[in-house]
Amino acid sequence: MPEKQKVCLAYSGGLDTSVIALWLIEQGYEVVCFAADVGQDEDFDAVRAKAEKLGAKIYIEDCRDEFVKELCFPAIQCNAVYENVYLLGTSLARPAIARAQIAVAEKEGCQFVAHGATGKGNDQIRLEEAYYALKPKIRVLAPWRMPEFYEVFKGRSDLLDYAEKKGIPVTSTKSKPWSMDENLAHCSYEAGILEDPDTTPPADMWKLTADPLSSAADEAEDVTIEFEKGIPVKISAKSIGSETEPTKLFLAANALARKHGVGRVDIVENRHIGLKSRGCYETPGLTILRNAHIDIEGLTLDREVRALRDQFVTFNWSKILYNGNYFSPEREFLQASIIESQKSVNGQVRLRLYKGNCMVLGRSSQTEKLYDASMASMDEIGDFEPTDATGFIKVQAIRLKKYGQMKAEKGERL
Amino acid sequence: MPEKQKVCLAYSGGLDTSVIALWLIEQGYEVVCFAADVGQDEDFDAVRAKAEKLGAKIYIEDCRDEFVKELCFPAIQCNAVYENVYLLGTSLARPAIARAQIAVAEKEGCQFVAHGATGKGNDQIRLEEAYYALKPKIRVLAPWRMPEFYEVFKGRSDLLDYAEKKGIPVTSTKSKPWSMDENLAHCSYEAGILEDPDTTPPADMWKLTADPLSSAADEAEDVTIEFEKGIPVKISAKSIGSETEPTKLFLAANALARKHGVGRVDIVENRHIGLKSRGCYETPGLTILRNAHIDIEGLTLDREVRALRDQFVTFNWSKILYNGNYFSPEREFLQASIIESQKSVNGQVRLRLYKGNCMVLGRSSQTEKLYDASMASMDEIGDFEPTDATGFIKVQAIRLKKYGQMKAEKGERL
Amino acid sequence: MPEKQKVCLAYSGGLDTSVIALWLIEQGYEVVCFAADVGQDEDFDAVRAKAEKLGAKIYIEDCRDEFVKELCFPAIQCNAVYENVYLLGTSLARPAIARAQIAVAEKEGCQFVAHGATGKGNDQIRLEEAYYALKPKIRVLAPWRMPEFYEVFKGRSDLLDYAEKKGIPVTSTKSKPWSMDENLAHCSYEAGILEDPDTTPPADMWKLTADPLSSAADEAEDVTIEFEKGIPVKISAKSIGSETEPTKLFLAANALARKHGVGRVDIVENRHIGLKSRGCYETPGLTILRNAHIDIEGLTLDREVRALRDQFVTFNWSKILYNGNYFSPEREFLQASIIESQKSVNGQVRLRLYKGNCMVLGRSSQTEKLYDASMASMDEIGDFEPTDATGFIKVQAIRLKKYGQMKAEKGERL
Amino acid sequence: MPEKQKVCLAYSGGLDTSVIALWLIEQGYEVVCFAADVGQDEDFDAVRAKAEKLGAKIYIEDCRDEFVKELCFPAIQCNAVYENVYLLGTSLARPAIARAQIAVAEKEGCQFVAHGATGKGNDQIRLEEAYYALKPKIRVLAPWRMPEFYEVFKGRSDLLDYAEKKGIPVTSTKSKPWSMDENLAHCSYEAGILEDPDTTPPADMWKLTADPLSSAADEAEDVTIEFEKGIPVKISAKSIGSETEPTKLFLAANALARKHGVGRVDIVENRHIGLKSRGCYETPGLTILRNAHIDIEGLTLDREVRALRDQFVTFNWSKILYNGNYFSPEREFLQASIIESQKSVNGQVRLRLYKGNCMVLGRSSQTEKLYDASMASMDEIGDFEPTDATGFIKVQAIRLKKYGQMKAEKGERL
């Protein structure tokens, strides 16, 4: 390695990346720290001070608007979900972080980027595939996959010893028995005691949301969410008034959902790397925005467009994000489909939040007229004759009769 | 029409089918009534008496075991759901009802079957496609699609007038302002005041489940559900002990979920006939069994099998059931896939029920070992080296780098 | 029926629609004939004369450009095919015909449109769904489904008798023992002697293409086809020079493929109506343009975009067209996907035509660089290390090893 | 490395694997060679002699029957194809080879297996994923990914020098300017001069099939292929009589197709590793068996089963095989679907082979009755009334009319 190669390190201010920063400096790199504000609960001044104390320059970039508009809103538009349950909170943040980090790396002329993600997880993949797509010539340092690092730092105590020896301040003397990742959309919990999939998380683990059983509000609260082309454009509730600006709207959804304990899940999921792992997630605002979106689609989206979208776009967009391929031709391809599918998704949904529940109360649309109460009504003859249904049924029965007859001839039970 | 043709009428004991029975008799048919016990809350002795009073023979068949084992359990095995929300409660009952009705028709030598479903709904299709597949030569009478019937009976008051004139006893003098359909799996509400999709259903509409806000139990309750090959084989909770027999197990799940207000949904859905309609459903037991099943799959089902199953089997099986094609080659084809997919879905899930919530507490499996905490652990080197992940990432990046480079050359933002 | 209602009849000049025209006039309608020039081999002056002789006004509209550009080119862009074999020649023409017919109906103020398609086929559906979407208030007359017509005209001899009696000139005294439909894209043959699926069509049935065994050219001929965004923009061959204008390009492809006997297929297909039927098709030009398009995609389209497009767009777009739902939200939705997928499909393909064969000789692209011979070369180290492949393989093996181990423990053969 | 570790090497007798064998011996391994007879044109006695001359024990295993029955027949049953064109000839052979190699490794107590596949191709993945699934504890040596090997042997001349120095006999003094892989199902050609995707392969490259333009037979020949449950069970043609035993039947199909020049393709495909590469393939017998299978499905397979199978099974089974995941839960899952889908695929197809063409002449089935000429006939009223089609069409139009009306109101062109 030539001397003073420059590396831009994704820096959180925590123990791992502080040790990595210093270790990289000791390896002869010039380290530029980069911290992304994606809405996590963080003292960024302290992060800055810590990086500088380590001898590194630091950039702290506010990625919240981009995160909400470019990642969370498309996720809502396509009802994104991984393996039926996980709303992709971490996956959604990575592209915004990687893009900002690469921008810093370019500005600073870094040949390398680095991160503190482990060698068995999804995040290393999500970050690095993004780095490579955004800047194909970039080189990546992932210390947790470099034997010269991980053979020295075998566990948390090695990190603590090193930090002590080097004078790196360690904020929490005692680590929590799980690891966390927080952003505007969610907080995740995994590893440690959660590795046993039958261990119920302790009640005080959950950081963002009130406990539906104990601390959630005793009064239900009604919320109205308005959509244009599938994007939430307004949220209203008595306790918060109204918000229309994307990030503020998202924060308002969070505040409401947190108070009412909405958005906790606990699953065993399949990582991209081929391992099963257990994760607990709380995703307050995104949960209610997504529920409202699913509901407004019922009123405003054509059946066949929905069916195609559900089978192909939702599944694949979610998988692509989970697997870290946001910056890819296939994601761009699906994005065009999402936009096209959402042209008619305009209207508003009324929800009631109460102790973990997010119940739909009703929905309406000023502009979309696919729903026609009089046609659906049992009591009115609309634009078609009841007798038409006879033909509809009988034509569809042609194939089934033929099949039934063959089964009967073969003596097989249908 | 030759005299005394015989018709087997799906008979509920309600106003509509009582009028239809008598009208058919007046048209010269010999009417054999058929009522299916699919677990609805019904006084079958009264139904029997009423049919006989009308001058019709009646068969009352207990279809509950078949309904649970042949319909509800496969639905759980494939996590069936229509348009993200509806658990198919009505759709699941129809094949069991149609099969029993056809058996009665055959026993009685009926040339016709009849039903009281309307001409704009899904149920006419579900029943008739099943009739035709099960007995291709059967002929169907659907009075709500016969002008000689529906032009006479234009609304509820015509039915009431006729009933009064003919001495047909009408149980409820005042109808509810919506229509309902109940069985072991659910109760549905639609039409009437619900036709305005923005009208919130009145609190006293919901029949099966306690209201999460008011009448649900104040104490949370934990339940354990055990699966073999994706089928629930045991349910246990303090208040109910244990149940293993399919129908009893299902009823126990219902009792628990009802008490805790679990399983209400409210949607605008797309009918097979091409209309949008609004439906409210409560599906207590099926909701918790399905949630538990989704969870145990996380622990025991291979990632790629799950992905294929989610995209193809879940979507299509649900659509087939919704559209009334249970008795079809495509459903049989998918059934084989379901069974194959569930070979490894063995284990138990612990849930907590509380005021509308159904929360996963943990899961375990004695036999399936795809989950390996030590491999997934961040702290242990398992069967692969962290450095392997580098190659995994870099090979996947080949394509993305190429793409990123092309985008850069074209000056397009990634 | 009020007197002198006006009907716009899709008129071919043949026996059926001539009889229908006169029959409609006799029923009291004012009949406006409409004939679409979609490239079939037809004497339109004779058609015009015949209609006028029947007492009907006639519009003859040239739909060829629209047919090529709006239907055939998107079909090429998504490699459309139904049930692996059928290139949708008839299906593609119907939307262009229906749109022009509705335009005439509007211009003439017709309350009705009519056609001569039979009651068991696909074309009635394709035409009518298009009519209803384009003009929801239009009313349709389909004499072959009207008992007052089909109970009078039970077969060809009844039509001939009527024609003779009414002085309708019948061009061919003897009908061919099958029915045909021709347009720019193809000619179809079905019914009659072809109804036995094991009857080989006589050699003289095929109208458009030379017989590979006897009349096809003895010399092979090379063709070059150039694409921009997946659309053929230039065709070149020695015998024809070059063509770039869409319809001329398409006709040139036809001329070449006809001469070399390319594009015959014979299948049993599944109609939308639920019946199986046997069809023979010749689709000369479209076959070679589609083959060339598939090939250029190999060079220029990303793998994952192709996979999504193949699974999702090709299958569904083809099914939608076959089933007659071109004018639908789902087709519009897929169209957006097609366009997005084809951004990079730029380049040229060289083909050799010879006695039924259409062989790829090579392909190139000036602008797209996803193919990189040096990277793929076995002899050069490109942008990634061979050792990276080890990690790629080992990470993918994690899941499979686990599975192999479980199978071994259970004593099951893998 | 402990002394005398044992390695089982996939050995072809060619230059690469001979050098590898000796190099491994020099590295201190005990080498057991393994050669699979998968139907390639090979002098296995010479292969044996050569291995023994190198000082290695050798096993030559006949994998042909397993290859045909376990791999080729399922491929035919699901119409397997990769990227529209490639029939997976190489991919299909790998699982049979890997299973036999692992069996030898187990018998000989080898800790390692080795192969001569390159570091950029698909075969390394296909072999190794199979090894790992079949024997999770096995260790793999892939010299073309080991720097200590590939940095010494940088090209063919290094291999030749080494061979000369070590006395390894080299059969062909001059290599062909491409690489080949042959088995019962196909022969592939890639690399070398073929790396330019616009270079037309020289006429003498193709090894298996006659040239349609020059050497193919001048007389057409008719063949009949019979299927049971989608599996070819009999082939008959004048020149060959009949064959019913799987491998003989496959060889007979090859002989016929080779003589008539059927089965050549030339594509640019997307490798699993993310690179595009150009491949030329000839797949004579498999091409005609697959074409016949597609055809018999038209007659005997239900429409909806076919649609699900096409979208879901064909695509994914093909991708799984291409990517080397035959021994996986997802392939087993799909296999169950294939078997279920093929229950009714019974009958025979008549084909005509002529100068590269494989034309369908007709098909029939003694047992399957889904095709009903009288119902499909235009001239007969079958089990349904033409008027039923009116209802079928009008009900489907409900949704489209609504859409057309909305578009019209918005002034948008449909």
Side-chain angles (χ1 to χ4, degrees), chain B residues 319-367:
Chain B
K319 181 178 152 194
I320 285 167
L321 265 282
Y322 187 86
N323 286 352
N325 287 330
Y326 179 80
F327 297 108
S328 68
E330 60 270 29
R331 201 271 314 161
E332 291 198 337
F333 171 64
L334 291 180
Q335 204 84 355
S337 301
I338 292 175
I339 290 166
E340 180 71 18
S341 74
Q342 298 293 296
K343 289 185 310 183
S344 68
V345 182
N346 303 302
Q348 58 178 25
V349 177
R350 297 183 300 110
L351 302 171
R352 178 162 294 162
L353 307 181
Y354 176 71
K355 290 188 188 295
N357 294 277
C358 170
M359 296 169 269
V360 175
L361 299 179
R363 72 294 280 167
S364 59
S365 175
Q366 270 62 55
T367 55

Side-chain angles (χ1 to χ4, degrees), chain B residues 364-375:
Chain B
S364 59
S365 175
Q366 270 62 55
T367 55
E368 307 307 314
K369 308 289 180 204
L370 291 179
Y371 183 91
D372 181 340
S374 69
M375 277 194 75

Side-chain angles (χ1 to χ4, degrees), chain A residues 99 120 145 195 198 271 276 298 301 330 332 350 355 357 371 380 390 399 403 413-414, chain B residues 99 120 145 195 198 276 298 301 303 330 332 350 355 357 371 380 390 399 403 413-414:
Chain A
R99 191 190 263 143
K120 290 181 171 180
R145 295 200 313 262
E195 280 173 6
D198 208 18
R271 287 193 196 146
K276 287 183 176 291
L301 190 56
E330 61 270 28
E332 291 197 337
R350 297 183 300 108
K355 290 191 188 292
N357 294 278
Y371 184 92
E380 294 183 39
T390 304
R399 191 174 58 89
Y403 187 68
R413 181 179 190 247
L414 241 197
Chain B
R99 190 191 265 142
K120 290 180 172 181
R145 295 199 313 261
E195 280 173 7
D198 208 18
K276 287 182 176 292
L301 189 56
R303 179 184 67 192
E330 60 270 29
E332 291 198 337
R350 297 183 300 110
K355 290 188 188 295
N357 294 277
Y371 183 91
E380 295 183 38
T390 304
R399 189 174 60 90
Y403 188 67
R413 182 178 188 249
L414 241 199

Side-chain angles (χ1 to χ4, degrees), chain A residues 221-225 287-289 291-292 295 349-353 358-362:
Chain A
E221 183 166 12
D222 294 353
V223 195
T224 300
I225 297 165
T287 297
I288 66 173
L289 295 171
N291 284 5
D295 188 74
V349 177
R350 297 183 300 108
L351 302 172
R352 178 161 295 161
L353 307 182
C358 170
M359 297 169 269
V360 175
L361 298 179

Side-chain angles (χ1 to χ4, degrees), chain B residues 277-290:
Chain B
S277 82
R278 195 262 194 99
C280 297
Y281 304 101
E282 43 190 354
T283 322
L286 188 54
T287 298
I288 65 172
L289 294 172
R290 182 175 176 274

Side-chain angles (χ1 to χ4, degrees), chain A residues 281-324:
Chain A
Y281 304 101
E282 42 191 355
T283 322
L286 188 53
T287 297
I288 66 173
L289 295 171
R290 183 175 175 273
N291 284 5
H293 181 263
I294 287 175
D295 188 74
I296 195 65
E297 287 195 336
L299 192 71
T300 59
L301 190 56
D302 173 75
R303 179 185 66 189
E304 297 302 312
V305 174
R306 178 176 197 150
L308 287 169
R309 200 278 320 272
D310 282 352
Q311 254 201 305
F312 291 99
V313 183
T314 302
F315 178 88
N316 286 298
W317 197 91
S318 305
K319 181 178 152 193
I320 286 166
L321 265 283
Y322 188 86
N323 287 352

